[in-house]
Amino acid sequence: MIRSFPGGRLLLVVLCLQGAFAIGIAAALGSGTDVSREAVVVLVSLAASLIVVTFFVALKGIRDNHAERSRARSAYALIETVAETSQEWLWAVDAEGTFLFSSRASKALLGYDPAELVGQPCQMVLDLEDLASARRSVAAAMDSHGSGWDGVVMVCRHRNGAPVWMEASGRARPAGTGFEGTSRPLPPQSARELLKQRITDQVEATLRGRVILTAFQPIYRLPDREIIGVEALARFPSEDGKGAEHWFNEANTVGLGGELEFVALEAALNAAGRLPAGLYVALNLSPQTCLDPRLPGLLEKAALREDRIVLELTENLAVAEYAPLTAALAPLRRRGLRLAIDDAGSGYASMRHILQLRPDIIKLDRALIAGIDHDPARQALGAAMVDFAKQIGATIIAEGIENPEELAAVTALGMNAGQGYFLGRPTIRPADWQAWRHVPRNDSDETAHTR
């Protein structure tokens, strides 16, 4: 304990000398040797001096120890203040990626209190794909700079699901026990540029690899429930499980939406060659892609006859000028290609498409079909759409049929065809496509549900 404060070693030496003098005096007095009075006085004075020195040395050590403790408390308080008030997020994780510490900035930046993060895996705020990318970036930075890294960009996930672009700096914890560091949000402009580049890279990789799959969902004629066609649906193999709508929306933000549509269209036309010969194929396209001069050539090269092709307009945004779109579609429609308007009933734009383009097929949105069996308002609107379609020479397809009651209701209203999970789910398996040629008429609800 003596060595545990400043001056402890000197105090130990002094105490040892004091003890030696005390032993010497006792030995001299007890030995019977003739010791002069003056010698005893000198020894006693020396011992007293040593006691005084010992006292002051001990006092200095206590003061130094108190000062050191005070400095340590001040430093710890400063660290706490930084952790509590800094706009940067301070964090530490163990070797398995479990949070050991999180500063209060995590609440403002990510929506999580520190107590909610500590003990949880870092995947709580990092997608697996982003985590793998961050680990690769950190490993590369550490190869160049030793045990630490600086300025590695990573994408965290806010509690509400929104991406948070951050720049992280840190270092390895002792003995390979994990990592610790700080992260700060990137300026909005930098984040937008990085996001745009990231989306561009992902979409371009998909375009180069031609990895888009096609699922077909059957469309049944009502009321006999014979399969008359299919809708082609793009499927993107990815670890994050994000759907086609997300991919197309992302591609549109970087000006690659049309390119991605063409790759998906090419994949669907190639897959359609394995469908039963009597089925038509509905291909989802935006109005902008319909204006692309490459479209007629691509359709002409397809293995499908044009009377088996339906172009299904998927955009629910208003079209600024219908004349160019009508002119682009006219020669295709003269050769037998049909036009469908998707999501009818979901908004004003789709109804304007119907009025301006006079489609062959009107597909009623799931929002109108859901609960139509017990909702008089939906039934009235559905009946009006059936009558309207007859007036313009179009057929009606009810989308999103999910139970026998909805199927019975749309059939009773006179809708021409139906599509939905109750009738048949989308599938990428050619064996399922081939089985559709053998679907019997008037099959039971139970049989249709399992298909």
Side-chain angles (χ1 to χ4, degrees), residues 7 36 68 137 144 159 168 172 179 213 216 248 269 276 297 319 329 340 386 397 410 426 432:
S36 66
E68 184 176 342
S137 300
S144 303
R159 187 174 202 145
F179 301 93
L213 303 175
F216 291 114
F248 285 115
L269 289 172
V319 175
L329 293 173
V386 169
I397 297 178
V410 299
D432 294 335

Side-chain angles (χ1 to χ4, degrees), residues 10 84 86 91 113 184 212 273 282 343 358 361 366 420 427:
L10 177 61
E84 291 292 320
S86 175
W91 50 264
D113 286 320
R184 61 185 180 86
I212 300 177
D343 301 327
R358 295 295 194 269
I361 299 171
R366 165 67 188 165
T427 173

Side-chain angles (χ1 to χ4, degrees), residues 10 39-40 44 58 66 174 206 226 241 296 308 324-325 345 362 364 397 425:
L10 177 61
V40 172
V44 171
H66 177 75
T206 300
E226 180 178 350
R308 289 183 60 196
L325 182 58
I362 299 173
L364 297 184
I397 297 178
R425 291 175 176 267

Side-chain angles (χ1 to χ4, degrees), residues 45 55 57 97 105 161 179 201 263 283 334 338 396:
S45 298
F55 171 76
V57 169
F179 301 93
D201 292 343
V263 173
L283 304 166
R334 283 195 296 267
R338 286 177 289 170
I396 289 282

